[in-house]
Amino acid sequence: MKTIELGPDQPFDLNLTLSCGQAFRWEKTADGWWQGVVDRRAVRIRQERDRLTFEGANEGFVRDYFRLDQDLLAILASIDRDPAISAAISECCGLRLVGQPAWECLVSYICATNTNIPAVKRRIALMAGRYGRPIDGPFGTAYTFPDPETLAGVSSADLRDCKLGYRADYAREAAVFTSENPDWAKRVADLPFEEARQALMQFRGIGPKAADCVLLFAFGFFEAFPVDVWIHRIVAETYLPDLAGRKCTPAEYERIRRFSRDYFGGYAGYAQEYLYCARGPASRAQ
DNA sequence: GACCAGGTTGATC
DNA sequence: GATCAACATGGT
């Protein structure tokens, strides 16, 4: 069991960070521990005030994954432009964007279109349980997210059986491509933002919204501003009232993300996640 | 049983 | 380039 003491200038809220819907493989147990699988690690972690206690990973991993060395106060100050975002910041202060493994994040957001978060978590868990590698960890046997080579060998029918529905072929195609191009993530990471975005949208099943999620949650492009139905609602009502009540067409998506990038700045993605997280406690997954 | 959910695709005008 | 139905699934 290891610990990290958070400094007073280092706000972090583990519960908000893991329950806000950015990552799909964490579960909170009844006794207050979060357990999840990241790459080949089965991690168990909890927070009591300024102390993080964890096992299954070293301190370096925990710092990197939760981006504990990122100056969150400075980031929040940079996006704090008006009372609406200010309220979201007050409500969700300590939420951090984690650094997810690219391949798992890509498939996760292929699985996350036109559906809800509990269903996405079920799909990921089913794929891991059936096609991932078993690893011994602090909470018994856990399963890694299946690597591209493995998933490329799974039939569409078997993926549908993991409740992917019509997304099964998209996931399979992504697995085939990434197993044949193992350097794809590094190539995307080295591109400028808009080009990286276009590169991700070459995957079938990855449109503008899913691409922005992967850019933000896996590649650390913090200017990415994913616009889902909730964010569309919030931004339209708060900042672009002429869009309120309308469906999010591609042109409107483009307008919202450009506005938000200009308005909130280079960490617009944090603004997006704080607005999303503060959308209402009733809809927050635990 | 309709409607919604961290949308995207392919066809059509 | 804009619009539209179809898409599998599970929750309310």
Side-chain angles (χ1 to χ4, degrees):
Chain A
M1 205 84 88
K2 308 178 187 73
T3 61
I4 292 178
E5 298 288 340
L6 298 164
D9 56 343
Q10 207 176 12
F12 179 55
D13 189 317
L14 180 69
N15 287 324
L16 285 175
T17 297
L18 292 181
S19 68
C20 70
Q22 56 176 325
F24 300 105
R25 291 216 66 193
W26 290 92
E27 298 293 340
K28 193 175 188 181
T29 62
D31 54 353
W33 288 85
W34 285 93
Q35 50 191 44
V37 180
V38 183
D39 286 326
R40 297 292 164 86
R41 303 175 194 79
V43 184
R44 194 165 169 266
I45 184 168
R46 71 176 299 170
Q47 178 175 22
E48 293 154 302
R49 289 177 298 282
D50 292 333
R51 171 173 302 189
L52 288 174
T53 309
F54 54 92
E55 52 186 332
N58 59 30
E59 177 173 342
F61 166 80
V62 172
R63 287 191 177 280
D64 287 346
Y65 183 75
F66 293 106
R67 303 188 195 279
L68 293 179
D69 297 323
Q70 200 171 37
D71 189 348
L72 184 59
L73 287 176
I75 290 169
L76 296 180
S78 78
I79 61 172
D80 192 358
R81 300 288 309 278
D82 61 75
I85 184 67
S86 221
I89 291 172
S90 297
E91 189 178 336
C92 301
C93 185
L95 166 63
R96 288 173 183 264
L97 295 175
V98 304
Q100 298 185 36
W103 160 240
E104 176 180 333
C105 189
L106 182 78
V107 179
S108 295
Y109 282 92
I110 285 176
C111 292
T113 61
N114 195 29
T115 185
N116 51 47
I117 291 173
V120 181
K121 295 175 80 167
R122 187 174 313 112
R123 292 170 185 138
I124 304 298
L126 280 169
M127 280 189 281
R130 294 182 185 180
Y131 306 112
R133 298 185 183 201
I135 44 175
D136 289 325
F139 49 96
T141 303
Y143 294 87
T144 64
F145 185 78
D147 55 50
E149 295 73 22
T150 305
L151 219 54
V154 177
S155 71
S156 290
D158 286 339
L159 283 177
R160 281 175 187 269
D161 206 45
C162 294
K163 307 303 177 187
L164 296 208
Y166 63 88
R167 309 164 189 83
D169 289 330
Y170 303 157
R172 239 189 69 77
E173 289 171 22
V176 170
F177 179 86
T178 55
S179 62
E180 291 172 352
N181 300 272
D183 62 337
W184 73 278
K186 179 177 171 19
R187 293 215 314 267
V188 170
D190 288 340
L191 291 172
F193 174 66
E194 293 293 339
E195 290 177 39
R197 192 167 186 268
Q198 289 304 317
L200 289 182
M201 288 172 62
Q202 299 307 304
F203 288 98
R204 222 154 62 93
I206 296 285
K209 191 274 176 180
D212 285 331
C213 283
V214 177
L215 290 168
L216 183 60
F217 299 140
F219 287 98
F221 284 101
F222 298 107
E223 67 265 55
F225 195 89
V227 182
D228 57 41
V229 291
W230 296 98
I231 287 295
H232 180 267
R233 226 167 270 165
I234 294 164
V235 172
E237 285 169 8
T238 312
Y239 303 106
L240 302 171
D242 59 303
L243 297 183
R246 295 165 49 82
K247 223 173 79 85
C248 189
T249 65
E252 288 186 11
Y253 190 107
E254 203 60 13
R255 184 176 159 206
I256 289 175
R257 84 175 178 98
R258 302 267 180 201
F259 163 82
S260 303
R261 168 65 182 82
D262 292 342
Y263 184 72
F264 293 113
Y267 288 95
Y270 265 92
Q272 188 272 4
E273 203 56 18
Y274 272 70
L275 291 171
Y276 181 82
C277 183
R279 73 195 183 280
S283 45
R284 195 172 300 146
Q286 274 293 332

